[in-house]
Amino acid sequence: MTKPLLPAPLITDDTVVFGLLALCLGFIFYGSSKKTGFWSKFYGIVPGVLMCYLLPGILASTGIVAEKWETLSETGEIITHTSSLYYVASRYLLPAALVLMTLSIDLKAIMNLGSKALIMFLTGSAGIIIGGPIAILIVSIFSPDTVGGNDFDAIWRGLSTIAGSWIGGGANQAAMYEIFKYNPEKYGAMVLVDIVVANIWMAIILLGVGRTKQIDKWLKADTSAIETLKVKVTAFAEKITRVPTLKDYMMMLCFAFAATGIAHFFGNHMSTVLTNSFESVSDQKSFLSFLGSSFFWMVVIATAAGIALSFTKAKNYEGAGASKIGGMFIYLLVATIGMKMDLGKVLENPGLIAIGFIWISIHAGLLILVAKLIKAPFFFLAVGSQANVGGAASAPVVAAEFHPSLTSVGVLLAVFGYVVGTGGALLCAYLMEVASAL
């Protein structure tokens, strides 16, 4: 029986599709900015980040746009057409965003957050790393087929993209997708697990923000460090904030895309040299195979470039909105990932949703336990968690819910997530591979 062709969408022109994605993002951000009325209530329940995935997903599921489709040539050969939007977003906008969002990072300021902030962040990372394999082991008892699969259809490969997303965000998710080459036809199910589970957890955290005093009292936390941070961050923001000029925008363009070009140039060379020189790198089954990924090196080099610039006067471009422009690029990437989703397949594998909820429960439980033991404020728990699970797209949002002046704290920890995320996600992926084989 011949496999049916992937149907062509209503709109195949990437220029028009990009316009639709921009329209979706504008509609979401306009509505989520409302303080009163229907949209205020709607976005009080449904996180805007979720909608940034879902609207493009709805367009893809209804056949209006598509990430991939097939046609027959005159000779009867199948021709596969692929939208270039995800490629552009992941190879151009993502590294540029990493540079802009690390431009103002203050490594000393991260240390000054205190050990509890870093402990909670790393606890969140540890919860994700061990939560994945434990969730696989638990679900395998009731439904072994759910965690099975062979070669590039292996479920652990797909779950590795969730691990990447939950330890740093979109950058690491894309890295895991590229490194482990999970079947793209089934990738939408993983994205949905990521979105549904992560956003329900984020919603729970946001509900907790309104009860911060009660939670801190239960945790017996000392919040004086938070108040000090509010004063310090507010003073720094006021010091560097300015009305951006055309020169500011051009310089940020220079930093972002010059570094992107450097990241691609050296990333491609590093990948080629290591693949040709070391068998452990060229062997796709090796633990070190990720070192042969040019995408991995691109992410690492772009992040390193941003951190290097943070030691120069370039960091003051944060006052002209560098991280906001980086955030815009991240949301465009989020929208192109949303195009990969087929919402009609959401309930095809409820076992995956179960894995997701068990996984995030282990993450949450470990965070609560450690916060109680070290008497860490709820702010550190919430932002430490979201710096992992949501990355730069949601950690600043959660931080701002506590106090607008703390937004940059969320950015700092989220950026730190990018730095440690790839290694943590790789460790989690290989642990899940072992768990799947048991």
Side-chain angles (χ1 to χ4, degrees):
M1 183 176 178
T2 305
K3 181 182 176 181
L5 296 176
L6 291 173
L10 179 65
I11 302 172
T12 58
D13 186 338
D14 272 347
T15 311
V16 180
V17 175
F18 183 80
L20 275 177
L21 295 182
L23 181 64
C24 288
L25 292 175
F27 175 77
I28 293 165
F29 275 81
Y30 178 78
S32 62
S33 68
K34 294 293 185 182
K35 303 298 181 183
T36 58
F38 170 77
W39 290 117
S40 174
K41 295 176 182 177
F42 177 80
Y43 285 106
I45 301 171
V46 182
V49 179
L50 177 60
M51 293 302 296
C52 290
Y53 281 103
L54 284 183
L55 281 190
I58 291 171
L59 292 177
S61 302
T62 53
I64 297 174
V65 302
E67 199 262 336
K68 184 181 292 186
W69 66 94
E70 297 172 333
T71 58
L72 284 176
S73 67
E74 294 181 358
T75 58
E77 293 183 56
I78 296 177
I79 301 173
T80 301
H81 306 268
T82 305
S83 168
S84 61
L85 292 180
Y86 173 75
Y87 181 87
V88 171
S90 61
R91 266 61 172 189
Y92 291 73
L93 300 185
L94 174 58
L98 289 175
V99 174
L100 292 173
M101 298 178 87
T102 53
L103 197 65
S104 64
I105 189 171
D106 187 337
L107 296 180
K108 184 179 179 181
I110 291 180
M111 298 305 295
N112 287 341
L113 288 176
S115 60
K116 290 182 180 180
L118 292 177
I119 288 171
M120 294 311 297
F121 170 80
L122 293 173
T123 297
S125 300
I128 299 301
I129 292 170
I130 66 172
I134 291 174
I136 286 177
L137 290 173
I138 292 173
V139 172
S140 67
I141 297 172
F142 307 100
S143 178
D145 291 341
T146 300
V147 296
N150 299 309
D151 298 324
F152 295 110
D153 286 336
I155 293 300
W156 71 266
R157 290 181 183 272
L159 293 176
S160 74
T161 64
I162 299 178
S165 176
W166 288 357
I167 313 178
N172 302 107
Q173 180 182 37
M176 293 303 106
Y177 181 69
E178 291 293 324
I179 291 167
F180 291 106
K181 307 293 184 184
Y182 183 61
N183 186 339
E185 293 181 9
K186 297 182 177 182
Y187 179 57
M190 296 298 170
V191 175
L192 282 166
V193 172
D194 174 15
I195 295 167
V196 171
V197 176
N199 279 285
I200 287 176
W201 171 235
M202 181 179 175
I204 292 171
I205 286 178
L206 291 175
L207 288 172
V209 174
R211 298 170 177 81
T212 300
K213 289 184 178 179
Q214 295 94 312
I215 295 174
D216 283 337
K217 184 178 180 181
W218 179 75
L219 292 171
K220 298 180 180 178
D222 177 11
T223 60
S224 59
I226 303 297
E227 299 307 317
T228 302
L229 276 172
K230 289 180 182 179
V231 174
K232 183 177 179 180
V233 173
T234 301
F236 177 72
E238 291 177 351
K239 181 180 177 182
I240 65 169
T241 299
R242 63 181 186 272
V243 176
T245 63
L246 178 59
K247 177 198 169 187
D248 289 332
Y249 286 122
M250 294 308 294
M251 290 306 299
M252 287 187 281
L253 180 80
C254 166
F255 293 138
F257 289 101
T260 296
I262 291 170
H264 276 275
F265 179 80
F266 286 104
N268 290 334
H269 279 279
M270 288 285 287
S271 171
T272 302
V273 169
L274 291 172
T275 301
N276 294 336
S277 303
F278 300 98
E279 187 177 339
S280 58
V281 176
S282 59
D283 181 3
Q284 291 298 310
K285 295 182 180 180
S286 167
F287 175 78
L288 297 176
S289 62
F290 71 93
L291 293 175
S293 167
S294 59
F295 187 88
F296 167 77
W297 286 111
M298 179 199 73
V299 169
V300 169
I301 295 170
T303 303
I307 292 174
L309 286 169
S310 74
F311 289 98
T312 70
K313 291 183 179 180
K315 69 182 299 178
N316 290 326
Y317 281 98
E318 171 59 23
S323 64
K324 292 182 177 64
I325 296 173
M328 179 176 67
F329 290 163
I330 289 291
Y331 276 105
L332 285 169
L333 174 63
V334 164
T336 62
I337 292 175
M339 281 178 60
K340 297 173 178 285
M341 292 193 297
D342 184 348
L343 299 176
K345 296 181 179 179
V346 176
L347 299 178
E348 283 187 6
N349 197 342
L352 285 179
I353 299 292
I355 291 175
F357 279 119
I358 294 170
W359 194 349
I360 205 72
S361 296
I362 293 169
H363 165 79
L366 190 60
L367 278 169
I368 294 169
L369 174 63
V370 173
K372 183 70 173 175
L373 288 174
I374 68 172
K375 301 179 181 179
F378 179 57
F379 172 75
F380 288 155
L381 185 157
V383 178
S385 172
Q386 284 305 301
N388 281 285
V389 178
S394 63
V397 175
V398 171
E401 287 295 310
F402 286 88
H403 191 277
S405 67
L406 295 175
T407 303
S408 60
V409 176
V411 174
L412 289 174
L413 282 177
V415 166
F416 192 57
Y418 283 128
V419 176
V420 303
T422 302
L426 283 167
L427 176 58
C428 179
Y430 287 115
L431 288 174
M432 289 191 292
E433 181 183 14
V434 172
S436 298
L438 295 177

